[in-house]
Amino acid sequence: MRTIKRLFNAPGPQPNGMQATADGIWILDQITNQVHLVSFTGEVLKTLETASDKGSGITDSGDALWLASTYSCEIIKIDRDTGATLGRWPSPHHSKTGSHGLEWRDGRLWIANPPSATIYQMEVSDGGLRVIHSIPGPGNRVHGIGWDGDDLLVVETNHRAIYRLNPQTGEQLDKIEIPEPNPEPHGMTIWAGDIWYCDAHDRAVCRLPLQG
């Protein structure tokens, strides 16, 4: 049985996207549209103003940050130091809202997209973003995503669960329950053998081990 620990509150009122790095955890807030870099104990190290509109996902490609601007139905690339917009492209297969969780891996952008209940692998080029692979999500409210080795972990907020998927086939390999009264999983990231997630309702940042 995994122990879920509530560690601290996110600095913004509605944290909805997370990405852990060696520098700390990037957290995208859905209300202020700010990106905060916080330490692994919750200390705010940097705050960026962004062009995101009620965003739900963030990832770090090393040279830039990428945001899922959910209500403008865009993927936005921003400067890691200033928050300035470097590029913006339509979210794949959006409807009234767009994408949620993002992950950068091997030069490709992975996107969790609730409107189509699908996870997309995108090729990134000067000409924009192009879908090169997709798998079905484990439900219609896919949110945060992260990697454990070659497996893709995906939050399904309505299920209160994190699914381990084969990224090539979409096969479900495992399901990690996040039962009440624990905070509800929204944004999610993986770091040093642990799953970190945030709850957009009560600002909680939580941690649980990858292995049960």
Side-chain angles (χ1 to χ4, degrees):
M1 177 69 68
R2 294 175 174 86
T3 299
I4 300 170
K5 296 182 179 180
R6 179 173 182 151
L7 299 179
F8 55 85
N9 286 345
Q14 202 165 106
N16 216 29
M18 300 180 76
Q19 177 65 69
T21 71
D23 296 325
I25 305 173
W26 293 101
I27 300 177
L28 174 62
D29 193 86
Q30 189 175 18
I31 297 297
T32 67
N33 299 312
Q34 292 175 324
V35 169
H36 302 280
L37 177 65
V38 304
S39 71
F40 289 95
T41 57
E43 177 189 3
V44 178
L45 306 175
K46 182 185 294 186
T47 298
L48 303 177
E49 303 291 338
T50 79
S52 176
D53 183 5
K54 299 181 180 67
S56 304
I58 182 169
T59 193
D60 188 342
S61 60
D63 62 337
L65 298 175
W66 297 75
L67 311 179
S69 179
T70 305
Y71 276 70
S72 67
C73 300
E74 293 176 299
I75 304 298
I76 301 178
K77 181 182 180 181
I78 68 169
D79 187 284
R80 298 173 82 256
D81 295 317
T82 68
T85 299
L86 303 176
R88 55 201 314 161
W89 301 271
S91 297
H93 301 280
H94 59 80
S95 58
K96 293 181 180 179
T97 60
S99 301
H100 279 53
L102 303 179
E103 273 286 313
W104 185 268
R105 184 174 172 93
D106 298 332
R108 300 286 188 264
L109 184 65
W110 290 74
I111 299 176
N113 197 61
S116 59
T118 301
I119 313 296
Y120 297 103
Q121 183 189 28
M122 311 291 291
E123 180 181 69
V124 180
S125 68
D126 293 340
L129 306 178
R130 181 174 68 90
V131 176
I132 56 174
H133 175 65
S134 65
I135 57 173
N140 61 12
R141 198 179 173 193
V142 290
H143 203 143
I145 58 177
W147 291 92
D148 179 27
D150 292 330
D151 296 341
L152 182 64
L153 275 68
V154 179
V155 168
E156 213 299 345
T157 301
N158 285 346
H159 297 178
R160 275 190 157 266
I162 301 170
Y163 290 85
R164 181 183 293 270
L165 304 181
N166 179 318
Q168 298 306 313
T169 65
E171 177 189 359
Q172 295 181 15
L173 307 174
D174 192 15
K175 179 183 179 183
I176 303 168
E177 304 277 359
I178 310 292
E180 294 187 81
N182 293 292
E184 185 178 74
H186 290 246
M188 186 267 289
T189 191
I190 294 171
W191 187 256
D194 290 318
I195 299 169
W196 294 69
Y197 76 86
C198 59
D199 184 344
H201 298 307
D202 72 356
R203 302 175 57 210
V205 174
C206 302
R207 185 183 69 197
L208 65 152
L210 273 166
Q211 304 303 321

